[in-house]
Amino acid sequence: MTIKNKLRAGFGFLFLLAVICCGLSIYYLSRLSADASVILKDNYITLKYARNIGNALDQNETELNKQQIKIIETNLASQQRNITEAGEQQLTDSLSSKYEQLKQAGNDARKQSVLRVQVRQLLFGIMQLNMTAIEHKNAVAKETARSATILVALIGSFLFLVAFSFIINYPGYIANPILELTARIKEISRKNYHQRLEFKSNDEFGELAQAFNTMTYQLNEYENSNLASIMFEKKRIETIINSMHDAIIGLDEKSFIIFVNEVACTLIGISELNLIGRYAPDVALENDLLRNLLVTDQNKMKIYADNRESYYSKEILSVDTRNKVIGKVIILKNITEYQQLDEAKTNFIATVSHELKTPISSIKMSLKLLEDERIGAVNSEQKQLLENIDDDTRRLLQITGELLDLSQVETGKLHLNFGNAHPKNIVDYAVKAVKFTGEQKQVSISVQCDDNLPEVRADLDKTTWVLINLLSNAIKYSHEKSVVDLVVKKVKNDEIEFSVADHGQGIEHQYLSRIFERYFKVPGSKADQTGTGLGLAIAKDFIEAQSGKIGVESDLGEGSRFYFTLKKAE
C-alpha cells in the first residue's frame, strides 16, 4: 500500500470512529426521547382528562348543568380513545356507566351524592393506575439512561484509547523514516558514504531506501575511483603553476595560504615550506610585500627584485561556488618591459609635443602678420587659405597641449596648486572662455549657481580647464539655437557638483563605460565633432587627482549630462 493510501486509511479510520461515537449518542438520545414522549402522550393526558372531569363535578353539588355535562362528556370521550394501561378500560367503562346514572338521578340528592362518590372513586382509580404507569415508565427511562451512559462511556473510552494510540503511533510511521533519512544525509555531507537505509515496506519509503542505498554505493565507488585521478590533477596543476613566470599565491576562505609558486616565493623572500598552511595576515606582519598585496588596492606595484626595480600588476581572482567564496588567487604579472616601453612612449610624446609648440606658435604669429592689412592686402582665396591654416594650427596647438597634459599625468609629474575658490568664479571664467564659440553656433548657456554656495578646495586652472572642456563638448554636440544647462549645487555635506547638460543626440549606453578612456571616440560622430579622444580622459585624471569624481548620464536622442564633484573647502 502506498503512503497516500495509508494516509487515506488512517484519516478514514479516525472519521469512522467519530461516526460510530456520534451514532451511538444519537441512538440512545432517541430512545430517551421516545420513552419521555410515551409518558407524556399516554399517561399524563389521562391524568388531565380525569382532573377535568373531577373539576367539573365539584362545580355544582346538585343536579348537573349543561356546562358540566359538556365538559364531562368531552373528557370522557377523549379518555375512551386514550386507553393504554391494563384495567384502564374496565375503570373507564364503569366511569361512563356511573356518569349515566348520575345524569339520570335528577333531583334525588341522596342518590346523586352516592353516585358522585363512586364517580370520584373511579376517577381516582384511573389516576392511580396512570400514576403507577408513569412511575414504572420513568424507572424504565432512568434505566435506559443509565445503560446508555455506561455503554457510551465504555465505547467512548475505547474509541478515545484507539484514537489516542493512533495519534501517538501513526505520525511516527511517517516521521521516523524521514528523520532517519535526514541523519543519513548529514553523514553523507561529511563524506561518509557507507550509509544504508533499511525500510522493510513496499511503499514509497521502501523505494526511497533502495534509491538512497544505490546512490551511496555509487558515491562511494566514485570517491574511491577518482581519488587517484584527483591527486594526479592536483600534481599537474601544481606543476603548471610552478612553471609560470607570474607570481601566484592561493588563499582559502579563511586567508590561509594553500599554494604558492617559486616566483612568488622569490619575490616574497620566504620558502614554500614556511608559507604553505600559514595564516596570511600573520605572515604579512613580518613581510612588507605580502602586506601590500593583502591590504592595498593598488593594481600597479614597484618591486625591487633581481637587483633591479621591476613593475608588477596585481590581479585578485575570487574563487566561488554556488555564490559562496571559497578562496582567492593573487597573481603578480611582471610588466617591467611594458612599463619601460610606456615610459619611453610618454617621454617621446612629451618631447615631440613640446618641440611642436614653438613652430606652431610661430606659424600663428605669422598668420597674424599676414592678416594685418599693413603688411599687404590679400584676395578672398588667400584669406580663405589663411583661415584654414589658422584653424589647423589652432587644432594642432590644442592637440599638443592635450598631449603635454597627458604626459604629465602618465609620468606622475602632474603638479596641483590647491586653493580655495568660489564655484561662481570658476563658472564665470569658463562661460566667458566658450562664449564666442557658443555665439557662433547660436547656443546659449543657462547658468544656475547660487552665490551662497561654499568655496571649494581645488586647482583653479585645471578645474576651469575641465569645465571649459565639458562646455565646449556640449556646444559642439548641441543643435543650433539650443540651450546648454550649467548647474552647480551642493550634493553632500562636503561636496559640490558641477554639471553640464546638452540637448543633442546623446550617447548610446554601450559606449558610456568607455567615454573617459584615452583615444576613445564615439562612433557615428560628425567630422567637425571628433577630437583626439584625450580631453575627457585628461579631465578625469585632473578631477580624480583632486579627490573628486566625474561621470556621465545620457539617453540616446535626449542629450547628455556630464558632471564632476569637488570637496568643500574647510
Side-chain angles (χ1 to χ4, degrees):
M1 183 185 292
T2 63
I3 295 176
K4 184 185 293 184
N5 290 332
K6 289 180 180 179
L7 288 173
R8 288 173 178 168
F11 288 117
F13 177 69
L14 289 177
F15 179 74
L16 179 61
L17 293 181
V19 170
I20 292 172
C21 188
C22 292
L24 288 172
S25 300
I26 292 172
Y27 169 74
Y28 282 106
L29 287 173
S30 299
R31 284 190 58 183
L32 288 174
S33 176
D35 291 343
S37 64
V38 167
I39 294 173
L40 292 174
K41 179 179 179 183
D42 297 338
N43 304 108
Y44 178 76
I45 295 176
T46 296
L47 293 175
K48 180 181 177 182
Y49 294 154
R51 185 187 61 191
N52 292 338
I53 293 172
N55 291 336
L57 287 174
D58 292 340
Q59 289 179 2
N60 187 3
E61 294 294 332
T62 59
E63 185 179 1
L64 296 175
N65 57 34
K66 292 181 179 180
Q67 184 179 2
Q68 289 177 302
I69 293 171
K70 182 179 179 182
I71 294 174
I72 292 172
E73 290 180 353
T74 300
N75 285 274
L76 187 59
S78 298
Q79 173 59 22
Q80 288 286 358
R81 295 191 295 270
N82 191 42
I83 304 299
T84 57
E85 304 299 330
E88 187 176 1
Q89 183 65 52
Q90 292 82 355
L91 292 174
T92 304
D93 292 340
S94 298
L95 179 63
S96 298
S97 176
K98 293 298 180 182
Y99 167 69
E100 291 296 332
Q101 294 176 14
L102 178 63
K103 190 168 61 171
Q104 295 174 3
N107 295 326
D108 190 347
R110 186 181 64 82
K111 188 176 181 179
Q112 280 193 3
S113 176
V114 173
L115 290 172
R116 285 177 182 270
V117 170
Q118 292 176 350
V119 169
R120 288 189 177 93
Q121 289 176 349
L122 290 171
L123 287 174
F124 179 76
I126 293 172
M127 293 177 68
Q128 187 64 34
L129 181 65
N130 281 275
M131 288 293 294
T132 303
I134 288 174
E135 290 177 358
H136 173 70
K137 291 178 180 179
N138 183 52
V140 171
K142 286 183 178 180
E143 180 63 24
T144 302
R146 189 181 66 83
S147 300
T149 302
I150 294 173
L151 185 59
V152 170
L154 291 175
I155 295 175
S157 299
F158 173 73
L159 295 179
F160 173 78
L161 292 175
V162 172
F164 183 76
S165 176
F166 180 83
I167 291 172
I168 294 299
N169 297 318
Y170 194 77
Y173 174 78
I174 303 296
N176 291 339
I178 296 176
L179 293 175
E180 186 174 354
L181 175 63
T182 303
R184 296 291 184 269
I185 291 175
K186 289 181 179 179
E187 290 296 324
I188 287 179
S189 67
R190 302 186 185 101
K191 296 188 176 181
N192 184 5
Y193 300 127
H194 298 284
Q195 303 299 310
R196 294 294 183 269
L197 287 177
E198 299 295 338
F199 295 153
K200 297 180 181 179
S201 59
N202 295 323
D203 53 16
E204 288 87 348
F205 284 131
E207 295 177 0
L208 177 64
Q210 293 178 3
F212 180 85
N213 295 336
T214 303
M215 179 191 70
T216 54
Y217 176 77
Q218 292 179 351
L219 284 174
N220 190 39
E221 277 195 343
Y222 180 80
E223 179 74 10
N224 294 328
S225 64
N226 284 279
L227 184 59
S229 61
I230 291 173
M231 294 301 296
F232 174 76
E233 292 296 331
K234 179 177 180 293
K235 290 291 184 182
R236 185 166 69 173
I237 292 173
E238 289 177 350
T239 303
I240 293 173
I241 291 175
N242 284 324
S243 64
M244 296 180 66
H245 298 292
D246 298 329
I248 301 176
I249 304 172
L251 307 175
D252 63 10
E253 70 276 10
K254 297 180 180 179
S255 295
F256 283 90
I257 300 174
I258 55 177
F259 64 84
V260 59
N261 66 352
E262 295 178 1
V263 179
C265 292
T266 302
L267 291 178
I268 295 174
I270 303 176
S271 65
E272 182 179 356
L273 293 176
N274 292 328
L275 286 175
I276 299 297
R278 294 187 62 186
Y279 186 52
D282 289 344
V283 181
L285 293 175
E286 56 191 36
N287 189 279
D288 294 337
L289 176 58
L290 187 58
R291 182 168 60 252
N292 290 332
L293 291 176
L294 295 176
V295 177
T296 62
D297 295 331
Q298 185 179 359
N299 293 327
K300 186 182 291 186
M301 306 178 68
K302 185 189 291 185
I303 301 174
Y304 188 82
D306 297 332
N307 297 322
R308 66 188 182 95
E309 288 186 345
S310 301
Y311 292 90
Y312 289 84
S313 66
K314 182 181 72 172
E315 184 177 359
I316 300 178
L317 303 177
S318 295
V319 182
D320 54 12
T321 175
R322 295 180 181 178
N323 297 326
K324 180 182 179 182
V325 177
I326 60 174
K328 61 182 178 180
V329 178
I330 301 175
I331 302 175
L332 280 177
K333 295 182 179 180
N334 193 334
I335 58 169
T336 304
E337 182 179 353
Y338 302 105
Q339 181 68 24
Q340 292 173 349
L341 291 174
D342 189 61
E343 289 180 357
K345 179 263 296 180
T346 301
N347 292 331
F348 174 76
I349 291 175
T351 302
V352 171
S353 300
H354 186 271
E355 293 299 326
L356 285 175
K357 288 194 72 174
T358 301
I360 291 173
S361 299
S362 299
I363 292 173
K364 287 188 67 67
M365 181 61 68
S366 299
L367 285 172
K368 289 291 184 182
L369 293 174
L370 288 174
E371 290 175 352
D372 194 341
E373 294 182 355
R374 292 176 295 178
I375 301 299
V378 293
N379 57 35
S380 59
E381 290 80 2
Q382 293 171 333
K383 187 174 181 180
Q384 184 63 45
L385 290 174
L386 291 176
E387 291 178 355
N388 293 339
I389 294 172
D390 184 53
D391 291 339
D392 292 337
T393 52
R394 180 168 47 80
R395 191 176 299 109
L396 282 173
L397 193 60
Q398 179 183 356
I399 293 172
T400 53
E402 291 179 349
L403 289 174
L404 281 173
D405 291 332
L406 178 64
S407 63
Q408 288 180 1
V409 173
E410 290 183 343
T411 57
K413 297 178 181 179
L414 181 63
H415 298 291
L416 297 175
N417 298 316
F418 281 101
N420 296 343
H422 195 279
K424 187 73 172 177
N425 297 334
I426 300 174
V427 169
D428 290 342
Y429 188 87
V431 171
K432 289 179 181 178
V434 299
K435 183 179 180 181
F436 178 73
T437 306
E439 290 176 350
Q440 284 186 321
K441 200 173 180 179
Q442 297 182 356
V443 174
S444 60
I445 300 175
S446 173
V447 179
Q448 297 182 28
C449 180
D450 194 348
D451 293 334
N452 296 325
L453 287 173
E455 293 184 339
V456 294
R457 179 166 177 77
D459 185 312
L460 182 60
D461 293 335
K462 290 180 172 54
T463 303
T464 305
W465 185 93
V466 172
L467 189 56
I468 291 173
N469 184 273
L470 297 182
L471 286 171
S472 299
N473 288 341
I475 294 172
K476 186 189 302 182
Y477 288 96
S478 293
H479 304 296
E480 291 187 357
K481 299 181 181 179
S482 62
V483 178
V484 172
D485 298 316
L486 172 56
V487 180
V488 184
K489 61 183 179 180
K490 189 176 182 181
V491 291
K492 293 182 180 178
N493 291 333
D494 61 343
E495 287 187 359
I496 304 298
E497 181 188 84
F498 296 75
S499 66
V500 177
D502 63 67
H503 303 282
Q505 62 185 15
I507 305 170
E508 295 185 34
H509 285 277
Q510 58 182 328
Y511 302 125
L512 290 178
S513 59
R514 302 186 57 196
I515 199 69
F516 292 103
E517 292 182 6
R518 293 171 186 173
Y519 306 108
F520 176 76
K521 301 176 183 179
V522 178
S525 300
K526 298 178 182 178
D528 59 344
Q529 293 177 338
T530 58
T532 60
L534 293 175
L536 291 176
I538 295 171
K540 183 175 183 291
D541 292 330
F542 281 173
I543 295 301
E544 291 181 349
Q546 301 177 73
S547 300
K549 297 178 183 177
I550 190 168
V552 59
E553 298 171 353
S554 183
D555 289 315
L556 195 62
E558 297 183 7
S560 305
R561 175 181 175 268
F562 286 83
Y563 61 90
F564 64 88
T565 61
L566 294 174
K567 297 290 184 181
K568 184 182 68 172
E570 296 180 357

